Short mmCIF file of all heavy atoms in Angstrom, two decimals:
data_model
loop_
_atom_site.label_atom_id
_atom_site.label_comp_id
_atom_site.label_asym_id
_atom_site.label_seq_id
_atom_site.Cartn_x
_atom_site.Cartn_y
_atom_site.Cartn_z
N SER A 62 -59.30 19.93 -74.06
CA SER A 62 -59.22 19.62 -72.66
C SER A 62 -60.53 19.87 -72.00
O SER A 62 -61.11 20.94 -72.16
CB SER A 62 -58.06 20.40 -71.97
OG SER A 62 -58.21 21.75 -72.16
N VAL A 63 -61.05 18.87 -71.26
CA VAL A 63 -62.38 18.94 -70.68
C VAL A 63 -62.32 18.49 -69.20
O VAL A 63 -61.59 17.52 -68.90
CB VAL A 63 -63.36 18.06 -71.45
CG1 VAL A 63 -64.78 18.06 -70.78
CG2 VAL A 63 -63.50 18.55 -72.92
N LEU A 64 -63.06 19.16 -68.39
CA LEU A 64 -63.14 18.84 -66.97
C LEU A 64 -64.59 18.63 -66.65
O LEU A 64 -65.47 19.38 -67.07
CB LEU A 64 -62.59 19.95 -66.13
CG LEU A 64 -62.65 19.74 -64.59
CD1 LEU A 64 -61.44 18.87 -64.12
CD2 LEU A 64 -62.62 21.07 -63.85
N GLY A 65 -64.93 17.63 -65.79
CA GLY A 65 -66.32 17.43 -65.41
C GLY A 65 -66.64 16.20 -64.71
O GLY A 65 -65.80 15.34 -64.49
N ASN A 66 -67.83 16.06 -64.26
CA ASN A 66 -68.53 14.96 -63.66
C ASN A 66 -69.47 15.48 -62.58
O ASN A 66 -69.82 16.70 -62.59
CB ASN A 66 -67.56 13.96 -63.00
CG ASN A 66 -68.10 12.53 -63.14
OD1 ASN A 66 -69.30 12.29 -62.86
ND2 ASN A 66 -67.26 11.56 -63.49
N SER A 67 -69.91 14.72 -61.64
CA SER A 67 -70.88 15.17 -60.65
C SER A 67 -70.21 15.89 -59.50
O SER A 67 -69.47 15.29 -58.73
CB SER A 67 -71.64 13.96 -60.10
OG SER A 67 -72.42 14.29 -59.00
N ILE A 68 -70.46 17.15 -59.37
CA ILE A 68 -69.97 17.96 -58.23
C ILE A 68 -70.64 17.54 -56.96
O ILE A 68 -70.05 17.67 -55.88
CB ILE A 68 -70.16 19.52 -58.47
CG1 ILE A 68 -69.41 20.37 -57.50
CG2 ILE A 68 -71.64 19.83 -58.47
CD1 ILE A 68 -67.96 20.49 -57.73
N HIS A 69 -71.82 17.01 -57.01
CA HIS A 69 -72.56 16.45 -55.89
C HIS A 69 -71.80 15.29 -55.30
O HIS A 69 -71.49 15.17 -54.11
CB HIS A 69 -73.96 16.14 -56.28
CG HIS A 69 -74.86 15.69 -55.16
ND1 HIS A 69 -76.24 15.60 -55.30
CD2 HIS A 69 -74.59 15.32 -53.87
CE1 HIS A 69 -76.79 15.18 -54.11
NE2 HIS A 69 -75.80 15.04 -53.30
N LYS A 70 -71.48 14.32 -56.17
CA LYS A 70 -70.77 13.11 -55.72
C LYS A 70 -69.33 13.52 -55.21
O LYS A 70 -68.85 12.94 -54.21
CB LYS A 70 -70.57 12.08 -56.82
CG LYS A 70 -71.85 11.37 -57.13
CD LYS A 70 -71.68 10.30 -58.20
CE LYS A 70 -72.96 9.58 -58.50
NZ LYS A 70 -72.76 8.49 -59.55
N TYR A 71 -68.69 14.44 -55.91
CA TYR A 71 -67.38 14.93 -55.44
C TYR A 71 -67.46 15.42 -54.02
O TYR A 71 -66.59 15.15 -53.20
CB TYR A 71 -66.93 16.03 -56.44
CG TYR A 71 -65.75 16.85 -56.00
CD1 TYR A 71 -64.46 16.35 -56.16
CD2 TYR A 71 -65.90 18.14 -55.39
CE1 TYR A 71 -63.37 17.08 -55.80
CE2 TYR A 71 -64.73 18.86 -55.01
CZ TYR A 71 -63.52 18.34 -55.20
OH TYR A 71 -62.46 19.09 -54.74
N PHE A 72 -68.45 16.23 -53.73
CA PHE A 72 -68.61 16.76 -52.35
C PHE A 72 -68.83 15.60 -51.37
O PHE A 72 -68.19 15.57 -50.25
CB PHE A 72 -69.77 17.70 -52.30
CG PHE A 72 -70.13 18.19 -50.93
CD1 PHE A 72 -69.51 19.25 -50.36
CD2 PHE A 72 -71.16 17.55 -50.19
CE1 PHE A 72 -69.82 19.70 -49.05
CE2 PHE A 72 -71.48 18.04 -48.92
CZ PHE A 72 -70.82 19.05 -48.35
N ASN A 73 -69.62 14.67 -51.73
CA ASN A 73 -69.95 13.53 -50.85
C ASN A 73 -68.68 12.69 -50.54
O ASN A 73 -68.46 12.27 -49.40
CB ASN A 73 -71.03 12.71 -51.43
CG ASN A 73 -72.42 13.25 -51.20
OD1 ASN A 73 -72.60 14.14 -50.40
ND2 ASN A 73 -73.41 12.75 -51.99
N ILE A 74 -67.94 12.41 -51.57
CA ILE A 74 -66.73 11.59 -51.42
C ILE A 74 -65.70 12.32 -50.50
O ILE A 74 -65.02 11.69 -49.65
CB ILE A 74 -66.12 11.20 -52.80
CG1 ILE A 74 -67.03 10.36 -53.62
CG2 ILE A 74 -64.74 10.49 -52.61
CD1 ILE A 74 -66.60 10.14 -55.03
N ASN A 75 -65.62 13.68 -50.73
CA ASN A 75 -64.74 14.46 -49.87
C ASN A 75 -65.15 14.35 -48.40
O ASN A 75 -64.27 14.28 -47.44
CB ASN A 75 -64.74 15.90 -50.27
CG ASN A 75 -63.73 16.21 -51.29
OD1 ASN A 75 -62.76 15.55 -51.45
ND2 ASN A 75 -64.00 17.27 -52.09
N ASN A 76 -66.43 14.26 -48.09
CA ASN A 76 -66.92 14.38 -46.78
C ASN A 76 -67.23 12.97 -46.10
O ASN A 76 -67.11 12.84 -44.89
CB ASN A 76 -68.21 15.18 -46.72
CG ASN A 76 -67.90 16.65 -46.82
OD1 ASN A 76 -67.63 17.36 -45.83
ND2 ASN A 76 -67.93 17.19 -47.98
N TYR A 77 -67.54 11.98 -47.00
CA TYR A 77 -68.00 10.69 -46.39
C TYR A 77 -67.13 9.50 -46.86
O TYR A 77 -67.39 8.40 -46.45
CB TYR A 77 -69.48 10.45 -46.74
CG TYR A 77 -70.34 11.59 -46.46
CD1 TYR A 77 -71.07 12.24 -47.43
CD2 TYR A 77 -70.48 12.05 -45.13
CE1 TYR A 77 -71.86 13.34 -47.17
CE2 TYR A 77 -71.32 13.18 -44.81
CZ TYR A 77 -71.99 13.77 -45.84
OH TYR A 77 -72.78 14.85 -45.63
N GLY A 78 -66.16 9.79 -47.76
CA GLY A 78 -65.35 8.69 -48.27
C GLY A 78 -65.91 8.05 -49.50
O GLY A 78 -67.10 8.21 -49.80
N GLU A 79 -65.13 7.25 -50.19
CA GLU A 79 -65.55 6.65 -51.41
C GLU A 79 -66.72 5.70 -51.26
O GLU A 79 -67.67 5.73 -52.08
CB GLU A 79 -64.35 5.90 -52.07
CG GLU A 79 -64.65 5.14 -53.30
CD GLU A 79 -64.94 6.01 -54.54
OE1 GLU A 79 -64.38 7.13 -54.57
OE2 GLU A 79 -65.65 5.61 -55.37
N LYS A 80 -66.72 4.89 -50.24
CA LYS A 80 -67.73 3.89 -50.11
C LYS A 80 -69.09 4.47 -49.84
O LYS A 80 -70.09 4.07 -50.47
CB LYS A 80 -67.36 2.97 -48.94
CG LYS A 80 -68.24 1.71 -48.75
CD LYS A 80 -67.74 0.76 -47.71
CE LYS A 80 -68.68 -0.44 -47.61
NZ LYS A 80 -68.23 -1.37 -46.55
N GLN A 81 -69.23 5.43 -48.87
CA GLN A 81 -70.51 6.00 -48.59
C GLN A 81 -70.78 7.24 -49.43
O GLN A 81 -72.00 7.64 -49.55
CB GLN A 81 -70.56 6.30 -47.12
CG GLN A 81 -70.51 5.14 -46.19
CD GLN A 81 -70.64 5.51 -44.71
OE1 GLN A 81 -70.76 6.72 -44.38
NE2 GLN A 81 -70.71 4.51 -43.86
N GLY A 82 -69.78 7.90 -49.95
CA GLY A 82 -69.98 9.13 -50.60
C GLY A 82 -70.24 9.09 -52.14
O GLY A 82 -70.65 10.11 -52.72
N ASN A 83 -69.98 7.94 -52.74
CA ASN A 83 -70.13 7.84 -54.18
C ASN A 83 -71.59 7.69 -54.63
O ASN A 83 -72.01 6.62 -55.19
CB ASN A 83 -69.30 6.72 -54.73
CG ASN A 83 -69.08 6.73 -56.22
OD1 ASN A 83 -69.38 7.78 -56.88
ND2 ASN A 83 -68.81 5.62 -56.85
N GLN A 84 -72.40 8.68 -54.27
CA GLN A 84 -73.80 8.68 -54.58
C GLN A 84 -74.30 10.15 -54.62
O GLN A 84 -73.62 11.04 -54.18
CB GLN A 84 -74.60 7.92 -53.54
CG GLN A 84 -74.25 8.24 -52.06
CD GLN A 84 -75.01 9.41 -51.49
OE1 GLN A 84 -75.90 9.95 -52.13
NE2 GLN A 84 -74.64 9.88 -50.33
#
Side-chain angles (χ1 to χ4, degrees):
S62 54
V63 176
L64 180 82
N66 215 316
S67 168
I68 191 76
H69 186 166
K70 288 185 179 180
Y71 169 79
F72 174 83
N73 282 343
I74 294 170
N75 272 336
N76 285 273
Y77 312 117
E79 176 71 26
K80 187 175 181 180
Q81 294 185 355
N83 192 19
Q84 50 84 8

